[in-house]
Amino acid sequence: MSRQISELRESVARLHGELTRYGLVAWTAGNVSARVPGHDLMVIKPSGVDYDDLSADNMVLCDLDGMPVEGELSPSSDTAAHAYVYRAMPEVGGVVHTHSTYATAWAARGESIPCHLTAQADEFGGEIPVGPFALIGGDDIGKGIVSTLTGHRSPAVLMRNHGVFTIGRTARAAVKAAVMCEDVARTAHLTRALGRPVPMAQADIDALYDRYQNVYGQRSSPPANS
C-alpha cells in the first residue's frame, strides 16, 4: 500500500497545479483530495500552504473520519467535508473545492446554472445545481454536497454563499469538472448579460450527455482475435 499512497501523494500534489493553471483559486484557497482505493483513507492538501510550496511530501494522509494518519502538517479545513463525501458515495474517488470567480458568483446568488450550452449538456447532463449554505469546518458541507448530487448527473455543486465542490471517479476527473464548471459559469454569465438565453430541449440535452459519456473520445481497441 505504501507505493499506492506515494503515487497518490504525487498525483494530488500535481493536480493542485491545475487549479492555479486554470485560475480557479487565489492564495491558499481550494483543495484536491483522492481516495486510496480499497482502503478507508484519503490524501488531501495541507491547510494554509502556498501552492508553490505543495509537494508529494507534504500531502496529508487521513482516514475517512478526517483524522490525520500520516504527515506532519494539518489537513485542509475542508477535510471533514471530503471525508463525508467518501463515506457516503463509495463510487467517488476524488473531490475538489474551489472559489472560482464566475461559478462562485452564481453560488453567491443562490442560483443554479441552467443548461443552455451543448458543452454543459455533455459534461453535466443539465443544470449545475445549488447546494445549501453550511459553515466550514465540520461535515455539514459534505452532507449538503451528497444530498444535492445524489441522483443528479452533475459532478459539480455550487454551495450557496461559498463556492464550488466537484466529485469524480478519480481526482483528475473531479479537477476536470471544476475547470469545466468555471468555463460554463463564465459563458452563462455573459449570455445572461447579453439578453435571454435560448433554451435547449430536454431530449437534446439527454442525447448530448449520452453521446459524450459513452461515445466521445478514444475507446480501447478490441483484442486482435475478437
Side-chain angles (χ1 to χ4, degrees):
M1 185 173 68
S2 59
R3 180 176 178 181
Q4 182 183 43
I5 291 173
S6 177
E7 290 174 350
L8 271 181
R9 285 177 178 275
E10 292 178 4
S11 175
V12 171
R14 184 172 61 252
L15 285 169
H16 280 92
E18 297 299 293
L19 302 188
T20 58
R21 176 186 176 193
Y22 286 97
L24 305 185
V25 294
W27 203 242
T28 62
N31 40 71
V32 178
S33 74
R35 183 197 295 270
V36 180
H39 301 276
D40 290 336
L41 297 168
M42 67 179 185
V43 173
I44 194 166
K45 171 182 175 284
S47 178
V49 175
D50 289 346
Y51 277 83
D52 288 344
D53 295 330
L54 294 180
S55 68
D57 290 340
N58 59 27
M59 296 295 107
V60 185
L61 182 68
C62 295
D63 63 24
L64 295 192
D65 290 317
M67 300 303 296
V69 172
E70 185 179 292
E72 298 180 358
L73 301 177
S74 298
S76 166
S77 58
D78 292 305
T79 297
H82 289 238
Y84 186 91
V85 173
Y86 290 127
R87 293 198 307 271
M89 306 179 84
E91 72 279 12
V92 171
V95 179
V96 172
H97 172 47
T98 78
H99 300 154
S100 59
T101 303
Y102 284 88
T104 300
W106 287 84
R109 290 203 300 252
E111 185 177 355
S112 62
I113 302 176
C115 188
H116 298 301
L117 300 166
T118 59
Q120 184 172 343
D122 288 344
E123 195 74 38
F124 300 96
E127 71 169 14
I128 300 175
V130 170
F133 175 77
L135 293 175
I136 300 167
D139 61 11
D140 285 347
I141 291 174
K143 291 176 181 177
I145 295 167
V146 170
S147 65
T148 305
L149 293 185
T150 296
H152 205 291
R153 286 173 174 172
S154 175
V157 55
L158 312 175
M159 293 300 286
R160 187 168 61 83
N161 301 109
H162 186 173
V164 181
F165 281 84
T166 60
I167 59 174
R169 184 179 56 82
T170 64
R172 179 177 174 81
V175 169
K176 179 191 176 188
V179 172
M180 298 305 295
C181 180
E182 178 64 5
D183 184 64
V184 164
R186 180 172 57 248
T187 306
H189 170 79
L190 293 172
T191 302
R192 181 78 63 86
L194 290 170
R196 181 184 292 274
V198 177
M200 293 179 66
Q202 185 62 49
D204 292 334
I205 293 173
D206 294 343
L208 287 161
Y209 181 74
D210 179 70
R211 179 202 65 88
Y212 188 76
Q213 300 298 321
N214 299 306
V215 179
Y216 175 82
Q218 302 302 312
R219 302 294 160 182
S220 298
S221 299
N225 60 355
S226 65

